[in-house]
Amino acid sequence: MKIALSMPVSAAPALPGAAPLITTPIVSPGYWGTVWAQLRRDPIAIAAAAVLLLLVMAALLAPWLAPADPYKASMIKRLLPMGSAGHWLGTDELGRDLLTRLMYGGRLSLLMGVVPVAAAFVFGTSIGLFAGYVGGRVNMLIMRTLDIFYAFPSVLLAVAIAGALGPGLSNSLLALTLVFVPQVVRVAESVTTQVRALDYVEAARMSGASAFSIIRVHVLGNVLGPIFVYASGLLSVSMILASGLSFLGLGVKPPEPEWGLMLNTLRSAIYLNPWIAALPGAMIFITSIAFNVLADSVRSAMELRT
Amino acid sequence: MNTHPLTVDIHQDRGGPKQALLEVRELKKYFPVRSTGFAAAPKFVHAVDGVSFSVAKGQTLGIVGESGCGKSTTARLVAKLMAPDSGSMVFDGDGVDEFRGIALKDFRRNLQMVFQDSFASLNPRLTVAQTIAFGPQVHGMGAQEANQLARDLLARVGMEPDQFGARYPHELSGGQRQRVNIARALAFDPRLLILDEAVAALDKSVQAQVLNLLQELKSERQLTYLFISHDLHVVHYLSDQVMVMYLGQIVEIGPVERIYGHAVHPYTQALLSAVPSMDPAQRTLASPISGDPPNPIDPPAGCRFHDRCPKAQAVCKAQAPRLLSVAADAAHQVACHLNDPQSGHGAPASSATYAGLPLREVSA
């Protein structure tokens, strides 16, 4: 009856050249262990992570690394081309050092990418788990209410909310969060509904566990993966939307450095010095791509092989 | 290991060996069907329609029937995973979830279930030991103690705890996963185990091992089984009592030897004749019954089997038969007009044996 994978002990001395018996238990590396091992072997994921790390470090360490003052303007040095002495990436329409402003701008832009998504992840997952686990009419009520938000294109909704709340950093963060919550709820709800119907959740209910511990132990772990992947895909969307809000004058106000806002103000220079005008856009592009590629790699690493 | 501190009081025998462990009375479950037309009358699938039975202590009740006959719904109703529309249950003399009865929480600890799909019934993100230890832990057992219990149970179901305790479900074979499911069910030291097609997905050799394990556990822990299967061989091997279901109702119930040797109901006879035999002389030439079971949304009036029954008469279409004892054995009950002298059915009741079963002629 017993399933014995190791050789019988008595057989070992009879074979002098035999490999030693495996006596240590086979330890599984754990779920996150396998995900990490998978990611480490993925060169694209490593590259994307390195790019993101570089951008984050540059933004965080801007006060120490940046070559100039981001607010110091100069009428003589306006719109210098790339490679100018003292200004490697040139200057903007007010003669401010562009490299400096791009580094400082990363702080706000990355913040606007991460904060709304993180907040939407927390709230959206909670609402979605609740709706999916309870099901029935409660689920119907919650989901149909959120569908109203979902009916608007995200850009339009963000503009409408930010416009109603008025310009400013915190208002645009709030507007973006409100845009993302329904989307995260949808994913969370559909995954929870699927997981909830599985036999292991039924078995947990048979054990008399409370709804809270069933969700915590059996549901959360199995729904977090897909939600996490979806949310990480939203990071780049959030950055682009935030840039859009700033571009429209609904986000950060000048002279604060922010990539979207810089794109807006440098727009006037597009005929004079197109390379410089494209730089903030390029930053947004690079960051978005890095987020997306990394999210993609994490998703494929998180898939359970059965 | 047999009794852990959680379960000492709620698991003791209360009514003595003669009192049935579980009595089910008139269980009904209708599922609403989305109506198609505007303002159409609501329709219902009659999944379980007035099922009553009892399971004696230490016995195995096998439930057989075609797919869709309400076997699994019955299991889920008994396990209280689903609320019945009507009906009641008595567990060892105590009404389940009733005033002065046994509380639902205590009932659930006395009753556990093993599901058919061994993979879907294990959380893919938990190790085997964590899965088994979850139940006891939610009832207040310490992590250390629960882990030790999980290891003991793994060893009991034939899996080396050092080797398998830290593994994930996808690293195990189907048979091993089903052993883990059994170990999890045993963690509460239940008195009744519902095995819902528990061995159906396993291949024959593994199935035999798991069945033997179930037999050992039953005598070792004084378990009572509710064994649901469509495999008549397996039911024959494991059961003391057999209950045959058709379209949400019991058609025949009785001791296993009566059912397999002297089945009275034409449906049971047909089921048994469909079992492949190892003896080439007993070749089945024609299919015992034709057609599919009728739509459970609109079950036929009278006897539900009448439109497929070779012995159907006018009375079968008009009147639903009652579940009555067979003359030879009071424990053997059949719901068929053939068995009811007052029904007005012309043909005499014939009890057929497994081997010499009259096959229905296939008219071309």
Side-chain angles (χ1 to χ4, degrees):
Chain A
M1 213 61 187
K2 241 176 200 170
I3 296 162
L5 287 188
S6 53
M7 281 194 288
V9 180
S10 55
L15 302 159
L21 282 177
I22 302 161
T23 48
T24 49
I26 298 160
V27 179
S28 186
Y31 173 65
W32 292 108
T34 51
V35 170
W36 175 234
Q38 182 92 3
L39 275 182
R40 261 194 337 202
R41 275 181 279 130
D42 184 350
I44 299 171
I46 296 291
V51 168
L52 283 177
L53 190 71
L54 196 73
L55 287 167
V56 170
M57 292 311 285
L60 283 179
L61 301 176
W64 296 277
L65 293 182
D69 181 343
Y71 300 110
K72 194 180 171 225
S74 158
M75 289 311 259
I76 319 162
K77 295 181 180 169
R78 281 191 301 168
L79 291 174
L80 289 181
M82 275 190 237
S84 307
H87 302 288
W88 295 343
L89 293 181
T91 58
D92 68 4
E93 76 285 356
L94 294 176
R96 297 173 293 200
D97 181 51
L98 209 54
L99 177 62
T100 308
R101 282 183 68 80
L102 284 175
M103 286 170 85
Y104 274 94
R107 303 180 129 200
L108 274 180
S109 288
L110 289 169
L111 187 80
M112 303 263 274
V114 172
V115 171
V117 173
F121 181 75
V122 172
F123 290 115
T125 304
S126 315
I127 299 170
L129 268 175
F130 177 75
Y133 192 79
V134 173
R137 282 174 196 199
V138 179
N139 179 6
M140 180 84 109
L141 191 74
I142 294 174
M143 296 316 291
R144 293 301 82 78
T145 312
L146 288 167
D147 276 353
I148 299 172
F149 285 88
Y150 209 75
F152 294 100
S154 19
V155 181
L156 195 63
L157 187 63
V159 169
I161 297 171
L165 293 170
L169 178 66
S170 52
N171 281 350
S172 50
L173 288 179
L174 186 61
L176 290 174
T177 307
L178 286 174
V179 168
F180 294 135
V181 163
Q183 304 183 10
V184 177
V185 170
R186 255 202 179 189
V187 175
E189 188 263 349
S190 76
V191 189
T192 308
T193 308
Q194 282 169 26
V195 168
R196 196 193 113 88
L198 291 175
D199 285 344
Y200 60 81
V201 177
E202 299 258 273
R205 283 172 63 206
M206 292 277 310
S207 71
S210 65
F212 180 75
S213 47
I214 293 174
I215 290 180
R216 184 175 58 84
V217 178
H218 292 289
V219 181
L220 195 61
N222 290 291
V223 301
L224 225 45
I227 307 173
F228 176 76
V229 169
Y230 182 77
S232 55
L234 285 180
L235 285 168
S236 56
V237 178
S238 178
M239 269 196 40
I240 292 167
L241 279 183
S243 305
L245 286 180
S246 306
F247 182 86
L248 292 171
L250 289 168
V252 182
K253 277 175 284 184
E256 213 63 48
E258 199 267 342
W259 294 342
L261 190 62
M262 287 160 70
L263 193 63
N264 184 15
T265 52
L266 280 171
R267 189 175 39 138
S268 53
I270 200 154
Y271 297 112
L272 297 172
N273 201 337
W275 287 108
I276 284 185
L279 268 178
M283 295 304 289
I284 297 170
F285 176 75
I286 290 167
T287 318
S288 308
I289 290 283
F291 270 134
N292 272 344
V293 165
L294 187 62
D296 234 35
S297 298
V298 172
R299 173 176 52 213
S300 57
M302 277 170 86
E303 265 163 19
L304 279 179
R305 273 168 303 283
T306 54
Chain B
M1 185 188 106
N2 209 9
T3 51
H4 52 73
L6 289 175
T7 53
V8 176
D9 12 317
I10 62 157
H11 290 270
Q12 56 187 331
D13 192 355
R14 287 165 52 88
K18 292 230 167 150
Q19 177 163 286
L21 182 66
L22 179 76
E23 260 183 80
V24 174
R25 292 192 197 122
E26 284 299 312
L27 220 50
K28 279 187 189 168
K29 181 76 189 177
Y30 294 172
F31 294 108
V33 186
R34 196 157 290 185
S35 50
T36 42
F38 177 71
K43 289 186 171 182
F44 295 95
V45 172
H46 299 234
V48 174
D49 203 356
V51 166
S52 305
F53 60 88
S54 68
V55 195
K57 279 170 192 161
Q59 297 237 304
T60 300
L61 173 68
I63 303 181
V64 293
E66 284 168 280
S67 34
C69 73
K71 294 175 302 210
S72 286
T73 309
T74 307
R76 268 151 207 263
L77 289 173
V78 170
K80 286 276 179 190
L81 282 173
M82 211 182 253
D85 292 329
S86 70
S88 61
M89 289 196 291
V90 176
F91 188 82
D92 204 3
D94 292 318
V96 175
D97 205 15
E98 279 171 15
F99 180 59
R100 294 193 182 203
I102 182 171
L104 189 55
K105 203 178 98 190
D106 294 338
F107 175 64
R108 279 197 168 145
R109 279 201 240 162
N110 273 302
L111 170 148
Q112 287 292 305
M113 189 154 162
V114 178
F115 298 87
Q116 172 175 14
D117 187 339
S118 67
F119 192 65
S121 52
L122 292 173
N123 185 341
R125 314 250 179 223
L126 293 187
T127 65
V128 163
Q130 285 170 331
T131 286
I132 301 171
F134 172 75
Q137 270 178 300
V138 299
H139 284 283
M141 193 187 261
Q144 280 284 317
E145 206 183 340
N147 189 45
Q148 188 52 47
L149 176 68
R151 292 173 59 88
D152 291 347
L153 287 168
L154 272 180
R156 181 58 201 92
V157 297
M159 292 175 71
E160 194 57 54
D162 281 335
Q163 203 160 32
F164 292 103
R167 294 230 190 149
Y168 286 86
H170 70 265
E171 299 169 316
L172 303 178
S173 71
Q176 289 168 340
R177 282 199 292 264
Q178 208 54 299
R179 285 168 194 270
V180 174
N181 279 321
I182 294 169
R184 169 177 60 191
L186 293 176
F188 287 106
D189 214 1
R191 294 175 68 194
L192 179 67
L193 211 57
I194 300 176
L195 303 156
D196 185 3
E197 301 271 15
V199 295
L202 306 176
D203 59 53
K204 280 289 165 201
S205 59
V206 180
Q207 202 177 58
Q209 290 174 2
V210 173
L211 286 173
N212 286 333
L213 172 68
L214 287 171
Q215 288 284 50
E216 285 169 31
L217 290 169
K218 185 183 162 192
S219 56
E220 183 185 297
R221 293 167 170 251
Q222 286 94 45
L223 290 169
T224 302
Y225 288 158
L226 202 61
F227 187 81
I228 293 161
S229 181
H230 58 260
D231 186 334
L232 292 158
H233 283 306
V234 169
V235 169
H236 194 176
Y237 174 73
L238 209 66
S239 306
D240 301 300
Q241 300 275 321
V242 176
M243 174 169 128
V244 184
M245 287 183 75
Y246 184 75
L247 272 185
Q249 291 182 328
I250 300 176
V251 296
E252 189 158 8
I253 183 168
V256 63
E257 293 316 326
R258 290 287 311 175
I259 300 284
Y260 280 79
H262 307 280
V264 174
H265 201 287
Y267 178 65
T268 316
Q269 294 174 355
L271 269 189
L272 291 174
S273 72
V275 172
S277 171
M278 292 295 279
D279 183 355
Q282 290 186 16
R283 220 172 273 255
T284 313
L285 295 175
S287 98
I289 43 172
S290 53
D292 290 322
N295 190 346
I297 296 172
D298 281 313
C303 175
R304 292 190 172 182
F305 188 55
H306 77 74
D307 55 353
R308 296 169 81 194
C309 182
K311 292 174 183 162
Q313 293 188 355
V315 63
C316 301
K317 287 176 193 166
Q319 223 179 344
R322 293 172 297 162
L323 197 62
L324 293 172
S325 290
V326 172
D329 188 347
H332 181 185
Q333 293 181 305
V334 183
C336 181
H337 289 310
L338 283 168
N339 186 46
D340 188 354
Q342 276 129 40
S343 68
H345 193 287
S350 68
S351 85
T353 54
Y354 207 150
L357 201 66
L359 296 178
R360 189 185 181 187
E361 302 295 328
V362 179
S363 49

